[in-house]
Amino acid sequence: MQHHNGDLADTQQEYWQRTYGAHPGMYGQEPSAPAVHATEVFHANGAKNVLELGTRPRRPVLRP
């Protein structure tokens, strides 16, 4: 199945909206400690943009 980038982004957004709506406590109500720390480090170093390399369970995105 092929998607245009906009279509894929829309599909993903709809999925996560449904997931969060159905399970509002699944990921907690507050940011994780590592996320807070990363935000502080990025801010202290003047970062304006961050590229997140997401992964799927048991499937590394980056390989040596």
Side-chain angles (χ1 to χ4, degrees):
M1 174 185 261
Q2 290 189 352
H3 294 280
H4 293 94
N5 286 340
D7 294 340
L8 180 57
D10 291 343
T11 299
Q12 289 176 344
Q13 182 176 10
E14 291 169 11
Y15 169 81
W16 286 112
Q17 290 297 328
R18 282 193 313 274
T19 298
Y20 292 141
H23 309 282
M26 178 182 270
Y27 300 102
Q29 299 298 317
E30 300 296 325
S32 67
V36 171
H37 175 73
T39 300
E40 292 168 355
V41 170
F42 295 149
H43 181 71
N45 286 282
K48 300 289 182 199
N49 297 296
V50 176
L51 173 62
E52 177 187 4
L53 299 175
T55 62
R56 298 185 331 199
R58 299 175 306 280
R59 179 173 253 180
V61 172
L62 300 176
R63 298 194 171 124

